[in-house]
Amino acid sequence: MAIGLFILAVIIQLAVVLAIFLLSLSRVTGSIVAIITVIVTAFISPWSLVLGVPIALLCLILLIAPIRQALITKPVYKALSGAMPSMSDTEREALDAGTSWWEKELFMGAPNWDTFANYPYPELSEREQSFIDNEVETLCAMLDEWEITQDYKDLTPQTWQFIKANGFLGLIIPQEYGGLEFSSYAQSRVMSKIASRSSTAAVSCMVPNSLGPGELLMHYGTDEQKQRWLPGLAKGEEVPCFGLTGPEAGSDAGAIPDTGVVCYGIHEGEHTLGMRMNFSKRWITLAPIATVVGLAFKMHDPEGLLGDPSKTDYGITCALIPADHEGVIIGPRHYPSGSPFMNGTVDGTDVFIPLDYIIGGVENAGRGWRMLMECLGVGRGISLPALSTSASEMSYLSVSAFAKVREQFKISVGKFEGVQDATSRMASNTYMLEAFRHLVTCGLNQGGTPSVMTAMAKYYATETMREVVNDGMDVVGGRAIQMGPRNFLASLYQSIPVSITVEGANILTRSLMIFGQGAMRCHPYLFDELQLLQSEDKKDALKQFDNLFFKHLGYTFNRGAKAFVAGYVGGSSNAPSFADSFTRPYYKHINRLSAGFALTADMALGLLAGDLKRKEMMSGRLADIHGHLFIATAILQFYEHGSKSEAERLHAEVALQNSLYTIQEAFVAFFANFPNRMAANVVSFVTFPSGRIFTPASDELKAKLGDTFMDDHEANPFRDYLKTMVYYNTDPDDVTGRMEHAYQTLLEVEPLWQKFKKAEHDDSFEGLTFEDHVVHASQSGVITESEAEQLIKYNALRFDSLLTDVLDEHLLHVQERFNPHSLENAVHQLTDYAELKSAAQAQNGISADDNSIKDTESTGDDNPAHGYETDGDVKMAGEQSTVEEVKAQTDFDEANPEAEALDHRSRDAESTLSERMSYNHSRGIDTQLDTDDGRLNAHSGHESSEGENVSTQGSKWQDGLRREEDDKA
């Protein structure tokens, strides 16, 4: 009995402590409740004081300020002050730059789903939609990436003129200055559509609307500077570039050696206070054609000419200089990864500029780094994610078409599970990117400069794009590696390194920026604590630190309690009001993982302190957790506003499972490598008491998505949706339209094609070529002439879509490809195999139906699908019963009677073959439709409805073919 009461008392004490943490009671309230609990449980069992006394003593220490500060606050303050490295002004500005948004809710471990539900879903205005449907559509039609990269090594003059005249360089500039003033979402959509046609054009339009003078002027420029530059930038009369990186400064842009020293000089004939500039910039996009150059440099005032003798080093400053300013040298071009967008150098030695060239005037001297961090953040959130999303969406469309059209081992390559492993990733990752784009631009549309969110967008969008395009290259294989105007993937593949590198290299972004800035911008107390730890007024700082530190502890224990409870009962059931049966469990998982992340991040920050800055692999794993929590919520928001079809649910489900599994594995790797093993084991047990809880998408789910990947229209509404996001066309002579045209044609004839190919694989037709088989099937009455025409036409498109380019020996000129299966050439693919075989069998007295001649040895052809089921079914000629069914198969192209009349030897091949088909069928073959491609050959042993042997007709038909060949000779 005594033991039972003791256990009960201890359980009550622990439950109350847990409740105090879960309810986030204040230090005073929580301490009083805990002391009362200890007293009450002492009456239940005096032995409970074994645990109760330490609890009570700790509470008393927390309640009595002098004791609390002496025993806890001062030692902690001293220890952390020594552990934290000194923070430079540049680092402080970088960490403090920008604002926070939804990513802060996820970092803090208790996302507010009501807030999430009320975010305005990004949509285009009527003006923005019109621009995309008209100006952007027109621009895309003008672009030919092969021509741009191989012939011009630049956009054509006509294209540049169109871009400038129609405001493509002024999307972000307010209308009052002549700009378009589009929303962040509209900018993203514009860039995506351009990029779907040409990455060169997209980058050329991207930079002025991202990191450039326009962005800086709008936020920080003086009124005079805005009036001077913004109208010209909006109209394309001024072309901007911005010089930040150089030979000695890449990822560590704060280490730029470029300088501006305050001095007096001559400007426009007057003695003026200004700066003597020395700079050397590299890899500057649009520099070769720029008319105005933005520069980042370190500003110095050794003589105190600005009025403060004690301040000689102002730090990084930004200035705007005309490209034709005396001493500015626009150097030769770079050639970034084979992409010919304008990129080059900007140099200057002892270049004198007046102080009013500083963006924002002298008041902004030394504020350049903060300005760059905030503006870079916006660019990272719009431009590069837009290009990445576009590349993935074009890969989805082209590769899904290829996977359906391309057949190996007698089935579409997209039906193989090995391929579906890749295509399911492509599908889910593309879905994720589109969802990610929507949530990020939703945040940007609301204003502010959320630097952490945009760093996530840049890193995870470009890395995911890399995976999508690489998977696409694997699926398409040889068709994707042969360069030429037919190649729809190579330009996307070539652009990967550029996206990965620019605007913050990805390794740096993941390992330092996302969690480093995330901790500062998203943690409710950390940045203020760091400021106090480095304060010179230690007495006042200690007093503030005492209050802040215990709020921080309360926050940490609250998240720990939430994570502990969630580990046993699952996460909180809080979810947006629109959550349904499919999405609700995912919101619960996110609640659990978010609480676990808050606890884990605090453990890392508290125990590693400044060392975490050097533990980049650890920081990168925390970035993956934070980033994929954000991505998972983006997927859920996008799904809510989508079609909610079965196909879209498949995309969302695989994408969500991937994000949750990635988060889990990042947790596991973090705990396994955390240097303090005891702390790691405790937090690991709290967050994952039962071990791993998530698995990757199952093979069955991936196979379903792999099948859906090849569907279109109502079977896959997401693919239809993607067509509205990019420049979509079905032009059979276009680099992307060629494959799409073949794919759409296949969808129209698929039942017929599948049944014909199945019969062909079963050796149902005589002949050596595809055309022989079509002839036999038509003359045998298995298919109609109209169906024969459809098969011939599709086969020609299929073959052409799979052709790769060939060039001359010097790789200078693309050669025209010959398509032997086209309407003009298909007739020449017919053979006399069936006639010869029939004659030989007749001579030897063998009946065509005699199975005794069939090989008895089993071969691979006995299982033509190699274990895979072919799709599709169709009513053949003998099964069709209505006029509508017959008409539905008809799709004739008109002949060219004028050309025939002028020269019978140059008659349209289709008309010639149709004439022959009419002749054959007029001799007794029973068909239901009019004439078709005259490729129809005979199969011996089959007789028409009138009893005439088909081989005779075949002979007459072949005679006609020979006569035409004689005429040509």
Side-chain angles (χ1 to χ4, degrees), residues 92-113:
R92 185 176 290 104
E93 283 196 352
L95 291 174
D96 192 33
T99 57
S100 58
W101 190 60
W102 175 243
E103 71 278 12
K104 183 171 184 176
E105 294 280 341
L106 296 168
F107 189 101
M108 292 172 61
N112 186 328
W113 295 113

PDB file of all heavy atoms in Angstrom, residues 92-113:
ATOM      1  N   ARG A  92      26.579  41.139 -37.828  1.00  0.00           N
ATOM      2  CA  ARG A  92      25.385  41.553 -37.096  1.00  0.00           C
ATOM      3  C   ARG A  92      24.319  42.065 -38.064  1.00  0.00           C
ATOM      4  O   ARG A  92      23.141  41.749 -37.923  1.00  0.00           O
ATOM      5  CB  ARG A  92      25.749  42.637 -36.071  1.00  0.00           C
ATOM      6  CG  ARG A  92      24.578  43.049 -35.187  1.00  0.00           C
ATOM      7  CD  ARG A  92      25.000  44.058 -34.129  1.00  0.00           C
ATOM      8  NE  ARG A  92      25.854  43.456 -33.114  1.00  0.00           N
ATOM      9  CZ  ARG A  92      27.176  43.622 -33.024  1.00  0.00           C
ATOM     10  NH1 ARG A  92      27.788  44.395 -33.910  1.00  0.00           N
ATOM     11  NH2 ARG A  92      27.867  43.044 -32.073  1.00  0.00           N
ATOM     12  N   GLU A  93      24.742  42.830 -39.055  1.00  0.00           N
ATOM     13  CA  GLU A  93      23.782  43.342 -40.034  1.00  0.00           C
ATOM     14  C   GLU A  93      23.195  42.215 -40.865  1.00  0.00           C
ATOM     15  O   GLU A  93      22.013  42.211 -41.183  1.00  0.00           O
ATOM     16  CB  GLU A  93      24.461  44.366 -40.945  1.00  0.00           C
ATOM     17  CG  GLU A  93      24.649  45.730 -40.295  1.00  0.00           C
ATOM     18  CD  GLU A  93      24.951  46.805 -41.327  1.00  0.00           C
ATOM     19  OE1 GLU A  93      25.155  46.463 -42.506  1.00  0.00           O
ATOM     20  OE2 GLU A  93      24.969  47.984 -40.948  1.00  0.00           O
ATOM     21  N   ALA A  94      24.044  41.247 -41.241  1.00  0.00           N
ATOM     22  CA  ALA A  94      23.567  40.129 -42.046  1.00  0.00           C
ATOM     23  C   ALA A  94      22.549  39.303 -41.278  1.00  0.00           C
ATOM     24  O   ALA A  94      21.509  38.900 -41.816  1.00  0.00           O
ATOM     25  CB  ALA A  94      24.738  39.258 -42.476  1.00  0.00           C
ATOM     26  N   LEU A  95      22.846  39.038 -40.001  1.00  0.00           N
ATOM     27  CA  LEU A  95      21.933  38.222 -39.195  1.00  0.00           C
ATOM     28  C   LEU A  95      20.641  38.959 -38.887  1.00  0.00           C
ATOM     29  O   LEU A  95      19.587  38.357 -38.756  1.00  0.00           O
ATOM     30  CB  LEU A  95      22.631  37.811 -37.893  1.00  0.00           C
ATOM     31  CG  LEU A  95      23.793  36.817 -38.058  1.00  0.00           C
ATOM     32  CD1 LEU A  95      24.496  36.606 -36.726  1.00  0.00           C
ATOM     33  CD2 LEU A  95      23.307  35.483 -38.606  1.00  0.00           C
ATOM     34  N   ASP A  96      20.752  40.285 -38.783  1.00  0.00           N
ATOM     35  CA  ASP A  96      19.577  41.076 -38.440  1.00  0.00           C
ATOM     36  C   ASP A  96      18.775  41.489 -39.674  1.00  0.00           C
ATOM     37  O   ASP A  96      17.682  42.032 -39.559  1.00  0.00           O
ATOM     38  CB  ASP A  96      20.025  42.324 -37.663  1.00  0.00           C
ATOM     39  CG  ASP A  96      18.848  43.048 -37.016  1.00  0.00           C
ATOM     40  OD1 ASP A  96      17.887  42.360 -36.610  1.00  0.00           O
ATOM     41  OD2 ASP A  96      18.884  44.285 -36.939  1.00  0.00           O
ATOM     42  N   ALA A  97      19.336  41.227 -40.857  1.00  0.00           N
ATOM     43  CA  ALA A  97      18.674  41.674 -42.091  1.00  0.00           C
ATOM     44  C   ALA A  97      17.431  40.851 -42.360  1.00  0.00           C
ATOM     45  O   ALA A  97      17.371  39.661 -42.080  1.00  0.00           O
ATOM     46  CB  ALA A  97      19.643  41.567 -43.265  1.00  0.00           C
ATOM     47  N   GLY A  98      16.463  41.493 -42.937  1.00  0.00           N
ATOM     48  CA  GLY A  98      15.266  40.789 -43.363  1.00  0.00           C
ATOM     49  C   GLY A  98      14.244  40.638 -42.253  1.00  0.00           C
ATOM     50  O   GLY A  98      14.454  40.989 -41.092  1.00  0.00           O
ATOM     51  N   THR A  99      13.120  40.092 -42.662  1.00  0.00           N
ATOM     52  CA  THR A  99      12.019  39.857 -41.733  1.00  0.00           C
ATOM     53  C   THR A  99      11.720  38.361 -41.701  1.00  0.00           C
ATOM     54  O   THR A  99      12.400  37.569 -42.347  1.00  0.00           O
ATOM     55  CB  THR A  99      10.772  40.633 -42.195  1.00  0.00           C
ATOM     56  OG1 THR A  99      10.449  40.229 -43.540  1.00  0.00           O
ATOM     57  CG2 THR A  99      11.028  42.132 -42.187  1.00  0.00           C
ATOM     58  N   SER A 100      10.739  37.984 -40.939  1.00  0.00           N
ATOM     59  CA  SER A 100      10.344  36.575 -40.870  1.00  0.00           C
ATOM     60  C   SER A 100       8.856  36.462 -41.170  1.00  0.00           C
ATOM     61  O   SER A 100       8.102  37.429 -41.061  1.00  0.00           O
ATOM     62  CB  SER A 100      10.673  35.987 -39.497  1.00  0.00           C
ATOM     63  OG  SER A 100      10.009  36.723 -38.470  1.00  0.00           O
ATOM     64  N   TRP A 101       8.457  35.228 -41.537  1.00  0.00           N
ATOM     65  CA  TRP A 101       7.059  34.996 -41.931  1.00  0.00           C
ATOM     66  C   TRP A 101       6.631  33.638 -41.397  1.00  0.00           C
ATOM     67  O   TRP A 101       6.899  33.319 -40.243  1.00  0.00           O
ATOM     68  CB  TRP A 101       6.949  35.127 -43.456  1.00  0.00           C
ATOM     69  CG  TRP A 101       5.555  35.156 -43.998  1.00  0.00           C
ATOM     70  CD1 TRP A 101       4.572  36.056 -43.712  1.00  0.00           C
ATOM     71  CD2 TRP A 101       4.984  34.214 -44.914  1.00  0.00           C
ATOM     72  NE1 TRP A 101       3.425  35.737 -44.403  1.00  0.00           N
ATOM     73  CE2 TRP A 101       3.646  34.614 -45.153  1.00  0.00           C
ATOM     74  CE3 TRP A 101       5.474  33.079 -45.571  1.00  0.00           C
ATOM     75  CZ2 TRP A 101       2.790  33.907 -46.007  1.00  0.00           C
ATOM     76  CZ3 TRP A 101       4.634  32.389 -46.430  1.00  0.00           C
ATOM     77  CH2 TRP A 101       3.303  32.799 -46.649  1.00  0.00           C
ATOM     78  N   TRP A 102       6.032  32.809 -42.217  1.00  0.00           N
ATOM     79  CA  TRP A 102       5.524  31.509 -41.779  1.00  0.00           C
ATOM     80  C   TRP A 102       6.637  30.595 -41.265  1.00  0.00           C
ATOM     81  O   TRP A 102       6.408  29.754 -40.386  1.00  0.00           O
ATOM     82  CB  TRP A 102       4.774  30.845 -42.933  1.00  0.00           C
ATOM     83  CG  TRP A 102       4.304  29.452 -42.658  1.00  0.00           C
ATOM     84  CD1 TRP A 102       4.668  28.312 -43.287  1.00  0.00           C
ATOM     85  CD2 TRP A 102       3.340  29.055 -41.657  1.00  0.00           C
ATOM     86  NE1 TRP A 102       4.019  27.229 -42.751  1.00  0.00           N
ATOM     87  CE2 TRP A 102       3.193  27.651 -41.751  1.00  0.00           C
ATOM     88  CE3 TRP A 102       2.612  29.748 -40.695  1.00  0.00           C
ATOM     89  CZ2 TRP A 102       2.338  26.940 -40.928  1.00  0.00           C
ATOM     90  CZ3 TRP A 102       1.756  29.034 -39.857  1.00  0.00           C
ATOM     91  CH2 TRP A 102       1.619  27.649 -39.986  1.00  0.00           C
ATOM     92  N   GLU A 103       7.862  30.759 -41.788  1.00  0.00           N
ATOM     93  CA  GLU A 103       8.968  29.915 -41.346  1.00  0.00           C
ATOM     94  C   GLU A 103       9.244  30.090 -39.855  1.00  0.00           C
ATOM     95  O   GLU A 103       9.753  29.177 -39.198  1.00  0.00           O
ATOM     96  CB  GLU A 103      10.226  30.200 -42.180  1.00  0.00           C
ATOM     97  CG  GLU A 103      10.902  31.524 -41.935  1.00  0.00           C
ATOM     98  CD  GLU A 103      10.258  32.687 -42.674  1.00  0.00           C
ATOM     99  OE1 GLU A 103       9.145  32.528 -43.218  1.00  0.00           O
ATOM    100  OE2 GLU A 103      10.865  33.773 -42.707  1.00  0.00           O
ATOM    101  N   LYS A 104       8.901  31.265 -39.301  1.00  0.00           N
ATOM    102  CA  LYS A 104       9.099  31.494 -37.871  1.00  0.00           C
ATOM    103  C   LYS A 104       8.142  30.640 -37.050  1.00  0.00           C
ATOM    104  O   LYS A 104       8.525  30.098 -36.007  1.00  0.00           O
ATOM    105  CB  LYS A 104       8.901  32.979 -37.549  1.00  0.00           C
ATOM    106  CG  LYS A 104       9.155  33.322 -36.084  1.00  0.00           C
ATOM    107  CD  LYS A 104       9.160  34.823 -35.844  1.00  0.00           C
ATOM    108  CE  LYS A 104       9.523  35.140 -34.392  1.00  0.00           C
ATOM    109  NZ  LYS A 104       9.629  36.603 -34.159  1.00  0.00           N
ATOM    110  N   GLU A 105       6.914  30.504 -37.503  1.00  0.00           N
ATOM    111  CA  GLU A 105       5.940  29.658 -36.806  1.00  0.00           C
ATOM    112  C   GLU A 105       6.443  28.221 -36.722  1.00  0.00           C
ATOM    113  O   GLU A 105       6.307  27.555 -35.692  1.00  0.00           O
ATOM    114  CB  GLU A 105       4.598  29.699 -37.535  1.00  0.00           C
ATOM    115  CG  GLU A 105       3.904  31.045 -37.515  1.00  0.00           C
ATOM    116  CD  GLU A 105       3.185  31.300 -36.202  1.00  0.00           C
ATOM    117  OE1 GLU A 105       2.927  30.334 -35.463  1.00  0.00           O
ATOM    118  OE2 GLU A 105       2.891  32.468 -35.914  1.00  0.00           O
ATOM    119  N   LEU A 106       7.020  27.732 -37.801  1.00  0.00           N
ATOM    120  CA  LEU A 106       7.512  26.354 -37.835  1.00  0.00           C
ATOM    121  C   LEU A 106       8.752  26.199 -36.976  1.00  0.00           C
ATOM    122  O   LEU A 106       8.952  25.159 -36.344  1.00  0.00           O
ATOM    123  CB  LEU A 106       7.815  25.954 -39.280  1.00  0.00           C
ATOM    124  CG  LEU A 106       6.591  25.922 -40.209  1.00  0.00           C
ATOM    125  CD1 LEU A 106       7.030  25.797 -41.664  1.00  0.00           C
ATOM    126  CD2 LEU A 106       5.655  24.778 -39.845  1.00  0.00           C
ATOM    127  N   PHE A 107       9.593  27.214 -36.928  1.00  0.00           N
ATOM    128  CA  PHE A 107      10.801  27.168 -36.108  1.00  0.00           C
ATOM    129  C   PHE A 107      10.435  27.125 -34.628  1.00  0.00           C
ATOM    130  O   PHE A 107      11.096  26.450 -33.828  1.00  0.00           O
ATOM    131  CB  PHE A 107      11.675  28.390 -36.404  1.00  0.00           C
ATOM    132  CG  PHE A 107      13.040  28.341 -35.767  1.00  0.00           C
ATOM    133  CD1 PHE A 107      14.152  27.983 -36.516  1.00  0.00           C
ATOM    134  CD2 PHE A 107      13.224  28.667 -34.425  1.00  0.00           C
ATOM    135  CE1 PHE A 107      15.417  27.939 -35.937  1.00  0.00           C
ATOM    136  CE2 PHE A 107      14.478  28.620 -33.842  1.00  0.00           C
ATOM    137  CZ  PHE A 107      15.585  28.254 -34.604  1.00  0.00           C
ATOM    138  N   MET A 108       9.403  27.838 -34.260  1.00  0.00           N
ATOM    139  CA  MET A 108       9.046  27.967 -32.848  1.00  0.00           C
ATOM    140  C   MET A 108       8.260  26.785 -32.311  1.00  0.00           C
ATOM    141  O   MET A 108       7.923  26.743 -31.122  1.00  0.00           O
ATOM    142  CB  MET A 108       8.256  29.264 -32.634  1.00  0.00           C
ATOM    143  CG  MET A 108       9.108  30.513 -32.832  1.00  0.00           C
ATOM    144  SD  MET A 108       8.130  32.040 -32.801  1.00  0.00           S
ATOM    145  CE  MET A 108       7.434  31.967 -31.153  1.00  0.00           C
ATOM    146  N   GLY A 109       7.935  25.820 -33.155  1.00  0.00           N
ATOM    147  CA  GLY A 109       7.394  24.560 -32.660  1.00  0.00           C
ATOM    148  C   GLY A 109       5.910  24.511 -32.402  1.00  0.00           C
ATOM    149  O   GLY A 109       5.409  23.486 -31.929  1.00  0.00           O
ATOM    150  N   ALA A 110       5.171  25.583 -32.682  1.00  0.00           N
ATOM    151  CA  ALA A 110       3.731  25.584 -32.440  1.00  0.00           C
ATOM    152  C   ALA A 110       3.047  26.401 -33.531  1.00  0.00           C
ATOM    153  O   ALA A 110       2.538  27.495 -33.287  1.00  0.00           O
ATOM    154  CB  ALA A 110       3.411  26.141 -31.060  1.00  0.00           C
ATOM    155  N   PRO A 111       3.040  25.892 -34.769  1.00  0.00           N
ATOM    156  CA  PRO A 111       2.485  26.678 -35.884  1.00  0.00           C
ATOM    157  C   PRO A 111       1.029  27.043 -35.670  1.00  0.00           C
ATOM    158  O   PRO A 111       0.218  26.220 -35.238  1.00  0.00           O
ATOM    159  CB  PRO A 111       2.666  25.758 -37.102  1.00  0.00           C
ATOM    160  CG  PRO A 111       2.957  24.406 -36.556  1.00  0.00           C
ATOM    161  CD  PRO A 111       3.552  24.585 -35.213  1.00  0.00           C
ATOM    162  N   ASN A 112       0.701  28.289 -35.986  1.00  0.00           N
ATOM    163  CA  ASN A 112      -0.667  28.792 -35.856  1.00  0.00           C
ATOM    164  C   ASN A 112      -1.384  28.539 -37.184  1.00  0.00           C
ATOM    165  O   ASN A 112      -1.209  29.275 -38.151  1.00  0.00           O
ATOM    166  CB  ASN A 112      -0.637  30.288 -35.527  1.00  0.00           C
ATOM    167  CG  ASN A 112      -2.025  30.835 -35.226  1.00  0.00           C
ATOM    168  OD1 ASN A 112      -3.019  30.385 -35.777  1.00  0.00           O
ATOM    169  ND2 ASN A 112      -2.078  31.811 -34.336  1.00  0.00           N
ATOM    170  N   TRP A 113      -2.210  27.519 -37.201  1.00  0.00           N
ATOM    171  CA  TRP A 113      -2.848  27.113 -38.459  1.00  0.00           C
ATOM    172  C   TRP A 113      -3.972  28.055 -38.870  1.00  0.00           C
ATOM    173  O   TRP A 113      -4.327  28.098 -40.057  1.00  0.00           O
ATOM    174  CB  TRP A 113      -3.354  25.671 -38.351  1.00  0.00           C
ATOM    175  CG  TRP A 113      -2.240  24.690 -38.177  1.00  0.00           C
ATOM    176  CD1 TRP A 113      -1.960  23.935 -37.089  1.00  0.00           C
ATOM    177  CD2 TRP A 113      -1.216  24.392 -39.141  1.00  0.00           C
ATOM    178  NE1 TRP A 113      -0.835  23.173 -37.283  1.00  0.00           N
ATOM    179  CE2 TRP A 113      -0.367  23.430 -38.547  1.00  0.00           C
ATOM    180  CE3 TRP A 113      -0.937  24.830 -40.433  1.00  0.00           C
ATOM    181  CZ2 TRP A 113       0.745  22.898 -39.209  1.00  0.00           C
ATOM    182  CZ3 TRP A 113       0.174  24.309 -41.095  1.00  0.00           C
ATOM    183  CH2 TRP A 113       0.990  23.357 -40.489  1.00  0.00           C
TER     184      TRP A 113
END
